[in-house]
């Protein structure tokens, strides 16, 4: 299967700072990337869908000004959590796909906001 | 809109006992169906999928699932559990057309007792 990486795997930051998470498709060109959020012992909730070269489409209830998504190339999408607060602490997972292919998931990034 | 219900939040079984993780879905259009496995602090790994064709699909590690359209179910089974099967399992659906967004069930934690 295809490989998707995320960086960093774990990040701790102070309240009010911004954090950037990278998602890369290592061996294929991803036309679409998805960002999910997972709270402890809960399911994955889709935050946004990101298509290369265009603005991300956010799910209802997700603040686009707080969770900035950039998909500048076919192998890289970034999620920036701006002015992070403790309630933003969560496990963030990305996935990548190409036309006609399934989603391939990254290993996740655990964000802890102090 | 689609929805997925995993009827059991936790399923404990003894080693070498059979396993069944239940999944029901709701959709007004045709869907693809997936089972993913998640180990602690890791991303999701695709276990098996139903796209079309044979309604019984198998994974390489002994799991199988049967798509039953009349029952809107896609239950995951394995005849004999191993300790290494202990993990969180997610059932998911996506529609056959469009952005292929995944909708996940709540997850089922499979625990294996010796």
């Amino acid at each position: 299967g295809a490989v998707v990486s995320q960086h960093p795997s774990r990040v701790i930051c102070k309240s009010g700072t911004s954090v950037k998470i990278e998602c890369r498709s290592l061996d294929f060109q991803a036309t679409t990337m998805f960002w999910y959020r997972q709270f402890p012992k809960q399911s994955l909730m889709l935050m946004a869908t990101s298509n290369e070269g265009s603005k991300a489409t956010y799910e209802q209830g997700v603040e686009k000004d707080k969770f900035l998504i950039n998909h500048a190339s076919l192998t890289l999408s970034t999620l920036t959590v701006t002015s992070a607060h403790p309630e933003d602490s969560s496990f963030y997972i990305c996935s990548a796909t190409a036309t006609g292919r399934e989603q391939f998931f990254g290993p996740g990034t655990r964000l802890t906001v102090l | 809109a689609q929805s997925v219900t995993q009827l059991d939040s936790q399923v404990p079984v003894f080693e070498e006992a059979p396993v069944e993780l239940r999944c029901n879905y709701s959709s007004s259009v045709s869907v693809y169906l997936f089972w993913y496995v998640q180990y602690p602090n890791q991303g999701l790994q695709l276990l098996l999928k139903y796209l079309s064709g044979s309604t019984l699909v198998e994974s390489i590690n002994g799991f199988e699932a049967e798509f039953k359209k009349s029952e809107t179910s896609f239950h995951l089974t394995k005849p004999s559990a191993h300790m290494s099967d202990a993990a969180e399992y997610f059932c998911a659906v996506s529609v056959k057309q469009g952005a292929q967004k995944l909708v996940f069930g709540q997850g089922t934690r499979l625990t294996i007792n010796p």
Side-chain angles (χ1 to χ4, degrees), chain A residues 84-100:
Chain A
H85 291 284
E87 57 265 31
D88 298 324
S89 298
S90 190
F91 195 50
Y92 292 87
I93 302 175
C94 74
S95 71
T97 184
T99 303

Side-chain angles (χ1 to χ4, degrees), chain A residues 10 32 34 36 38 41-44 46 49 59 91 93 97-98 100-103 105-108 110, chain B residues 6 34 36 38 41-46 49 51 88 90-91 94 99-107 109:
Chain A
R10 190 179 291 265
T32 303
F34 300 88
Y36 297 85
Q38 185 181 32
K41 300 186 187 299
Q42 294 189 28
S43 188
L44 280 73
L46 180 64
T49 303
E59 295 299 300
F91 195 50
I93 302 175
T97 184
R101 300 191 70 179
E102 67 194 68
Q103 289 187 34
F105 286 81
R110 183 160 302 284
Chain B
Q6 291 182 243
F34 306 83
Y36 289 89
Q38 184 181 35
N41 296 310
Q42 295 186 27
L44 272 65
Q45 300 173 32
L46 179 65
K49 61 186 176 184
L51 304 180
E88 189 85 18
F90 292 97
C91 181
S94 71
Q100 298 184 330
K101 294 193 296 186
L102 286 168
V103 175
F104 287 89
Q106 301 90 328
R109 180 168 298 277

Side-chain angles (χ1 to χ4, degrees), chain A:
Chain A
V3 181
V4 176
S5 70
Q6 278 185 244
H7 178 79
S9 58
R10 190 179 291 265
V11 57
I12 301 172
C13 69
K14 292 182 179 180
S15 185
T17 61
S18 295
V19 174
K20 180 185 285 188
I21 302 170
E22 293 185 348
C23 176
R24 293 182 184 271
S25 56
L26 298 183
D27 51 3
F28 71 103
Q29 293 186 323
T31 51
T32 303
M33 288 184 170
F34 300 88
W35 286 95
Y36 297 85
R37 183 174 182 177
Q38 185 181 32
F39 289 106
K41 300 186 187 299
Q42 294 189 28
S43 188
L44 280 73
M45 299 299 296
L46 180 64
M47 299 175 66
T49 303
S50 168
N51 292 300
E52 185 266 338
S54 61
K55 290 184 177 180
T57 302
Y58 290 82
E59 295 299 300
Q60 192 173 10
V62 178
E63 300 176 60
K64 62 180 181 180
D65 294 330
K66 180 167 187 62
F67 299 99
L68 301 179
I69 292 172
N70 183 280
H71 192 165
S73 77
L74 286 171
T75 59
L76 173 65
S77 176
T78 60
L79 167 68
T80 301
V81 183
T82 62
S83 187
H85 291 284
E87 57 265 31
D88 298 324
S89 298
S90 190
F91 195 50
Y92 292 87
I93 302 175
C94 74
S95 71
T97 184
T99 303
R101 300 191 70 179
E102 67 194 68
Q103 289 187 34
F104 296 96
F105 286 81
T109 296
R110 183 160 302 284
L111 170 63
T112 303
V113 185
L114 302 177

